[in-house]
Amino acid sequence: MRGWREEVVALSLEAHGPGDDRPEKPRRYGVTEMRSPCYTFRPAHHALQEILDNIGPFVDGLKFSGGSHSLMGKELIREITDLAHKHDMYVSTGDWAEHLLRQGPSSFKQYVEECKELGFDTIELNAGSLKLPEEAILRLVRLIKNTGLRAKPLFSVKFDSSDIPAAGDRAFGAYIAPVKQSSERVEDIDLLIRRAERCLEAGADMIMIDADDVCQHADSLRADLIAKIVGRLGLERTMFETSGANTSEWFVKRYGPRVNLFADHSEVMNLERLRGLDVRRSVRPLLPSPFFLM
């Protein structure tokens, strides 16, 4: 008798066949990145081990959200990164690097080197929180790549109005006179795409799209913005945050199993079930919701 994990794998093969276009790990696309449940200390490590023993085959990456690793001892961080690597998963820092930049460029370089020593594979850069000129962000991307790690800039669709170049000044390298900082937030999808494209040209491995104002809620998804991002950056170079099962289903239904998604650990099995089903053809699920397993 097959266990529940074997049932999910078998379901995927039945839906797409052995020649499915979503490869085995390590994957460049069809990636599932999971939010780490590690918001406490030692007990969380054991909880994570239990979770990965169950869903590890379906997860490609583990993200330390909210700078949680900054509160942990180095020994515990190393245990967690080693555990993830045993399950063939990469480990991302999450968007914490911006807090280090307040101490100067040298502290950021030290931070990247320390992350490498602790077993991190990816450094995430929250471009909106960094409050740096575009060229400075590109230098950080190159610094991360020169250290041998992956760089993943995170972009939001809304920018401070003072950060948006005036009309006619959008050419690469054009001088933009400093302006007074503003707290007003303005949507500019073209600016997001242009800056993301430059990060990819500088060596960034993937672009993370912030869920805010794009895909935070299933009933208010901005399909127009998502289509433009995918069309310009490519499905394989973009990852979207998801906020729940309905959001994940929308992405898989619209873009298929090759879409890269960031999800909470409680959503991973449901997401894998969706990837294994051809929801674009409205195939009825053969397995019940797996949340009881978490």
Side-chain angles (χ1 to χ4, degrees):
M1 183 176 179
R2 294 185 299 193
W4 59 266
R5 276 184 294 182
E6 289 77 12
E7 289 289 351
V8 173
V9 173
L11 177 61
S12 179
L13 291 175
E14 289 173 12
H16 290 290
D20 183 27
D21 58 357
R22 182 169 176 251
E24 296 294 326
K25 295 197 307 184
R27 288 182 274 260
R28 293 184 300 106
Y29 51 86
V31 171
T32 296
E33 183 172 295
M34 182 186 88
R35 179 183 291 106
S36 171
C38 298
Y39 295 107
T40 57
F41 297 99
R42 186 67 56 179
H45 171 249
H46 299 303
L48 179 62
Q49 182 169 354
E50 184 176 352
I51 290 171
L52 295 188
D53 286 343
N54 286 315
I55 65 174
F58 312 123
V59 181
D60 300 270
L62 178 71
K63 175 176 174 177
F64 280 68
S65 296
S68 54
H69 60 289
S70 66
L71 303 175
M72 298 178 180
K74 292 183 178 181
E75 181 181 349
L76 177 56
I77 293 176
R78 189 74 215 193
E79 287 180 18
I80 294 173
T81 57
D82 287 345
L83 177 62
H85 291 153
K86 288 179 181 178
H87 289 273
D88 297 320
M89 296 164 57
Y90 66 83
V91 187
S92 172
T93 60
D95 54 343
W96 183 249
E98 60 270 21
H99 298 283
L100 278 299
L101 288 171
R102 299 170 183 171
Q103 304 172 26
S106 60
S107 64
F108 181 79
K109 183 176 181 180
Q110 182 180 352
Y111 167 73
V112 173
E113 292 173 348
E114 186 172 306
C115 285
K116 184 175 182 178
E117 292 175 1
L118 292 173
F120 286 97
D121 307 286
T122 300
I123 303 290
E124 188 172 298
L125 295 171
N126 190 327
S129 299
L130 288 172
K131 300 296 182 183
L132 289 175
E134 189 172 327
E135 293 298 329
I137 295 177
L138 299 179
R139 284 196 294 271
L140 295 181
V141 169
R142 297 187 187 103
L143 187 154
I144 293 169
K145 295 297 294 180
N146 289 338
T147 311
L149 299 180
R150 302 187 189 112
K152 183 192 287 185
L154 182 149
F155 285 94
S156 170
V157 73
K158 285 191 175 180
F159 298 83
D160 291 345
S161 59
S162 54
D163 292 337
I164 298 179
D169 288 334
R170 289 183 178 248
F172 291 167
Y175 172 75
I176 301 174
V179 295
K180 185 178 179 180
Q181 289 294 307
S182 169
S183 59
E184 181 185 3
R185 304 283 288 172
V186 179
E187 182 180 297
D188 194 328
I189 186 63
D190 292 320
L191 182 59
L192 180 158
I193 291 172
R194 184 177 73 85
R195 291 187 173 179
E197 286 175 334
R198 295 203 68 194
C199 285
L200 290 173
E201 291 169 0
D205 298 89
M206 190 173 288
I207 301 297
M208 176 77 85
I209 303 300
D210 195 331
D212 290 348
D213 303 303
V214 177
C215 51
Q216 188 171 19
H217 304 291
D219 57 355
S220 58
L221 278 163
R222 294 293 303 276
D224 56 332
L225 301 184
I226 295 170
K228 197 165 188 177
I229 291 170
V230 171
R232 291 278 297 277
L233 302 182
L235 196 63
E236 298 178 9
R237 307 295 297 275
T238 311
M239 177 175 285
F240 294 93
E241 293 184 336
T242 63
S243 57
N246 291 336
T247 308
S248 299
E249 181 172 354
W250 185 90
F251 273 105
V252 177
K253 185 174 183 179
R254 181 65 62 94
Y255 293 104
R258 296 167 67 98
V259 65
N260 303 313
L261 297 175
F262 170 68
D264 187 77
H265 70 277
S266 63
E267 298 287 342
V268 167
M269 281 303 301
N270 187 61
L271 175 56
E272 187 64 23
R273 179 178 61 84
L274 291 169
R275 290 190 192 276
L277 292 170
D278 195 346
V279 294
R280 288 170 292 178
R281 289 185 289 179
S282 301
V283 176
R284 181 176 173 270
L286 300 180
L287 291 180
S289 175
F291 293 134
F292 71 95
L293 298 168
M294 307 307 297

